[in-house]
Amino acid sequence: MDAIISLMLHPRLTTRFAANDDSSGWFDPVYPLTLFFAFGIYTVVQKYHKKHNSPIPFQYSIPEQANPEWKGQVIPDANIGSHTENTELSSLFPIADRKFITAFDPATGLHLATVSADTADDIAHKIDLAKEAQETWRYTTFTQRRRVVRTLMKWLVDNQDACARIACRDTGKTLIDAALGEILTTCSKMEWLINHGEKALRPERPLHNSWSPILAGIFAGNGVVLKCSENVIWSSAWFVGAIQEALRVCGHDPELVQLVCCYPEDAQALTRSPEIKHITFIGSEPVGKIIAQDAAVNLTPVTLELGGKDPAIILPNTDLEKWSSVLMRGVFQNMGQNCIGIERILVQEDQYDALYEILSDRVKKLRTGSVLTPSAEGYIPTIDCGSMVNGSRFDGLAKVIHDAEEAGCQVEGVGDSAGKEYQHQHLTNGYYFTPTIVGSVTKDMDIANIELFAPIALLMPYETIDDAVDIANGTRYGLGASVFGPDQDECLAVAKQLECGMVSVNDFGVFYVSLPLHLPFGGVKSSGYGRFGGPEGLRALTNPKAIVIDRFPRIVQTSIPKVLDYPLRSLFWSWYFTSGLVKFLYGDRWRTRIAGLLSVYRASKQ
């Protein structure tokens, strides 16, 4: 501070000479004092903003199950109902007529927890808690909401290793998949809310992973009730707990966010509740239809992000080696359990053999396993692909691949288990499916029309670009897509013909990550309707209200002209006034408008 004051009082800045020659130089204190006070005001403002905007550090305990060295009980053939088959998992829960859910690591079969499933009464109580907390939260400022999001963002960045390990433990995915699909995308959405959320929600003249809908919901001033999948209750409870703790340390009611986990037959207590004002559902098409029907009982708005069969069109003369890594990531990230994962790769006939060779060679080298299972030497092996969430669809996947092979398709994968469940040498209780490539697939095959949601790459040859577009649009789905080619303009022309909600050109899934202008996310056809993310998604979580006021109320205010006042004095002059007003406002020529203005004036004098 002394150095700053000295600088402001430097003679070169402060000396000025009098206007007449006989005056001597003197120090004018106004200039340095002005700078001093300006700096003081700036400092006060900065301290104010720091006090009200800076994230608040908080501690949130990490469960021991997240430690790779953790040893738990192994459940053979683990499923969410394993507690009913194994008394060791249910002996601690003797409550009659109470349902429970077994949480387990699908990569190892390790028991994580046995959790009480919510009943209809539990769900109604949680809705009431969120509703009560929202009565206060709705009046918070955007500055207060941004601080909660900043607090969560700092916590997530500081604890990303623990968050990734917890996601891996409950879903079987790899650390890289957790980092890209969970942490990076969530941070991206939080950054967009911080920088642009207020602009999307503030009044205008005239006139969108479990965290994503929660963050958007609370930023829009809502309370949130999250219904998670029964397969991820363990990690979901921990992540929601972190949000509640962030709300608490920022001085708000943590009950604003509630977590519900129940069996499907009990979910109507949530989807048919008159207290729920908006539903965002991410999942399968059959369940989405049920939710839409339930929501119709109370005319509850619904955003549905359902299945996908996303195509990647490889245009003629594309550098296949250049884009092969993007294709591999698009298909095999998170073992294909990705709503916007690439399920169909369409390649021109002349380049089909080359691409099949490139991809099949890389697929055979993929390593499958668990990143939370250290080797005997104590190190964690490098894993490309994790496990599936469960094994309930393995028989169906194997059948549809077998049918395609019988119809003449090429099938290749790791070892001799291509297109089948992968029997891991060490992790015998994990749910693994062999990364597989299926070639020469035609558009009429079941495998080309059913959402696989699995580590399976389909190669479909086409003859002309029109054929490629026809194949790409040939399913009932329309979520995302990719177009690759040497000419971006040609790629764009093809992208515009695709029936889907989002397209990446020479890339995969970038529409899911925040850009300078965050993009709305959603599909068309059987992939659902509505959008989350971006201004459109954020506004969908609000009920817009139009308020009309006089701009200069002290000068002029809206009133009813006497010629239009009830009871009408004269039908002739009333019509003369209104017809003249229409001419004045909307006439196509100045002569018509002037004539209309004269009619208005004349009628108003009657």
Side-chain angles (χ1 to χ4, degrees):
M1 180 62 72
D2 292 340
I4 294 174
I5 294 175
S6 298
L7 175 63
M8 291 190 297
L9 295 176
H10 193 279
R12 288 184 177 273
L13 297 177
T14 58
T15 301
R16 81 174 186 183
F17 296 94
N20 46 44
D21 295 338
D22 58 350
S23 298
S24 59
W26 58 284
F27 290 107
D28 182 0
V30 174
Y31 182 72
L33 285 175
T34 301
L35 289 179
F36 176 78
F37 282 114
F39 179 77
I41 294 172
Y42 171 79
T43 302
V44 171
V45 171
Q46 287 298 103
K47 287 184 176 181
Y48 176 85
H49 280 291
K50 183 176 181 180
K51 178 181 178 181
H52 292 83
N53 290 279
S54 297
I56 301 176
F58 69 92
Q59 299 295 322
Y60 189 61
S61 61
I62 301 172
E64 60 177 348
Q65 294 94 325
N67 190 335
E69 304 293 339
W70 175 71
K71 304 291 184 183
Q73 181 179 357
V74 176
I75 309 174
D77 301 319
N79 59 80
I80 61 174
S82 288
H83 58 279
T84 63
E85 306 162 1
N86 188 334
T87 56
E88 294 182 18
L89 304 178
S90 60
S91 59
L92 298 178
F93 306 96
I95 305 175
D97 300 325
R98 187 78 189 190
K99 297 178 182 178
F100 293 89
I101 297 171
T102 299
F104 61 92
D105 180 351
T108 62
L110 290 171
H111 177 236
L112 298 176
T114 301
V115 182
S116 175
D118 287 319
T119 65
D121 289 340
D122 295 331
I123 295 172
H125 178 62
K126 291 182 176 181
I127 293 174
D128 288 340
L129 290 175
K131 179 183 178 182
E132 183 179 349
Q134 193 261 347
E135 290 298 322
T136 301
W137 176 257
R138 67 190 296 184
Y139 296 110
T140 55
T141 65
F142 285 116
T143 297
Q144 292 173 305
R145 298 177 194 177
R146 272 194 298 267
R147 191 174 201 185
V148 173
V149 178
R150 281 196 180 98
T151 296
L152 283 167
M153 189 171 181
K154 174 177 172 54
W155 178 85
L156 181 57
V157 172
D158 293 345
N159 295 273
Q160 56 182 303
D161 180 65
C163 293
R165 285 188 278 114
I166 287 174
C168 293
R169 182 64 83 185
D170 206 19
T171 64
K173 63 177 60 180
T174 69
L175 286 171
I176 300 301
D177 285 344
L180 295 177
E182 307 287 348
I183 297 171
L184 180 65
T185 53
T186 303
C187 286
S188 172
K189 294 178 188 303
M190 287 192 285
E191 182 181 49
W192 184 86
L193 284 174
I194 292 170
N195 295 332
H196 305 286
E198 179 180 357
K199 182 180 179 181
L201 292 176
R202 69 189 180 194
E204 295 181 347
R205 296 182 181 178
L207 303 233
H208 158 355
N209 130 358
S210 64
W211 271 30
S212 295
I214 294 177
L215 291 167
I218 64 175
F219 196 86
N222 301 309
V224 176
V225 181
L226 173 71
K227 194 280 181 190
C228 70
S229 166
E230 308 89 87
N231 293 293
V232 292
I233 175 59
W234 180 75
S235 59
S236 296
W238 190 78
F239 286 122
V240 169
I243 293 179
Q244 293 174 328
E245 182 63 13
L247 286 165
R248 188 191 66 78
V249 300
C250 290
H252 306 290
D253 191 343
E255 301 294 353
L256 184 72
V257 178
Q258 295 292 320
L259 176 66
V260 165
C261 189
C262 63
Y263 284 92
E265 59 268 24
D266 299 315
Q268 283 188 341
L270 185 62
T271 55
R272 291 195 174 194
S273 171
E275 302 298 337
I276 298 298
K277 304 305 180 184
H278 180 92
I279 297 175
T280 296
F281 174 74
I282 303 172
S284 68
E285 179 188 353
V287 178
K289 290 180 177 179
I290 294 174
I291 289 175
Q293 292 173 355
D294 288 348
V297 173
N298 294 297
L299 296 179
T300 304
V302 181
T303 295
L304 297 178
E305 194 270 275
L306 308 178
K309 194 70 179 174
D310 289 14
I313 298 179
I314 316 298
L315 298 181
N317 304 313
T318 297
D319 186 341
L320 301 179
E321 289 285 357
K322 179 179 180 179
W323 302 115
S324 61
S325 294
V326 178
L327 295 173
M328 288 290 292
R329 173 62 62 181
V331 174
F332 297 105
Q333 180 170 307
N334 199 28
M335 287 295 276
Q337 299 169 118
N338 185 352
C339 59
I340 54 169
I342 296 175
E343 292 224 358
R344 298 174 293 158
I345 302 176
L346 284 55
V347 58
Q348 211 273 335
E349 292 174 342
D350 293 342
Q351 291 188 294
Y352 171 83
D353 290 338
L355 184 59
Y356 184 87
E357 182 178 353
I358 292 172
L359 296 184
S360 61
D361 180 63
R362 297 186 66 164
V363 168
K364 293 174 185 177
K365 298 175 182 177
L366 293 178
R367 295 154 293 187
T368 303
S370 169
V371 295
L372 296 181
T373 305
S375 66
E377 293 78 14
Y379 66 87
I380 298 177
T382 300
I383 298 300
D384 301 303
C385 300
S387 72
M388 305 288 278
V389 171
N390 57 53
S392 62
R393 298 186 297 111
F394 285 3
D395 289 343
L397 291 173
K399 181 183 185 303
V400 74
I401 294 175
H402 174 74
D403 291 345
E405 190 172 21
E406 288 289 305
C409 291
Q410 306 158 279
V411 178
E412 291 193 54
V414 180
D416 57 357
S417 59
K420 304 174 185 176
E421 179 179 1
Y422 180 73
Q423 301 296 333
H424 200 284
Q425 183 178 359
H426 305 293
L427 304 172
T428 57
N429 291 291
Y431 291 113
Y432 298 94
F433 197 88
T434 306
T436 301
I437 181 170
V438 182
S440 300
V441 176
T442 59
K443 65 179 182 180
D444 58 313
M445 296 180 177
D446 286 343
I447 199 171
N449 294 280
I450 300 173
E451 183 185 28
L452 300 179
F453 213 63
I456 302 170
L458 305 184
L459 258 66
M460 305 180 68
Y462 67 84
E463 185 174 352
T464 67
I465 294 179
D466 288 340
D467 292 335
V469 172
D470 180 62
I471 295 171
N473 292 336
T475 74
R476 67 182 200 273
Y477 296 109
L479 189 54
S482 296
V483 181
F484 296 87
D487 186 326
Q488 182 166 294
D489 291 338
E490 186 179 13
C491 291
L492 182 59
V494 172
K496 290 180 177 180
Q497 300 179 61
L498 299 182
E499 299 170 353
C500 58
M502 305 156 292
V503 185
S504 292
V505 172
N506 285 329
D507 214 328
F508 149 71
V510 290
F511 39 72
Y512 196 62
V513 181
S514 177
L515 300 171
L517 179 61
H518 198 46
L519 300 175
F521 186 97
V524 298
K525 301 194 292 187
S526 291
S527 288
Y529 52 80
R531 295 293 183 269
F532 62 87
E536 296 85 353
L538 203 54
R539 289 171 182 161
L541 301 176
T542 67
N543 291 315
K545 179 186 293 183
I547 300 178
V548 181
I549 62 174
D550 289 310
R551 179 164 295 185
F552 307 107
R554 295 184 179 181
I555 300 176
V556 60
Q557 287 187 311
T558 302
S559 61
I560 301 297
K562 291 183 179 180
V563 70
L564 298 181
D565 200 8
Y566 290 132
L568 295 176
R569 300 179 181 181
S570 167
L571 178 60
F572 173 82
W573 288 112
S574 298
W575 171 252
Y576 198 75
F577 179 91
T578 54
S579 62
L581 184 63
V582 171
K583 291 178 182 178
F584 170 63
L585 294 175
Y586 306 110
D588 61 341
R589 298 180 180 180
W590 281 111
R591 181 178 297 178
T592 302
R593 294 196 175 198
I594 293 174
L597 180 60
L598 293 173
S599 297
V600 169
Y601 176 76
R602 183 180 178 188
S604 64
K605 294 298 183 180
Q606 300 302 317

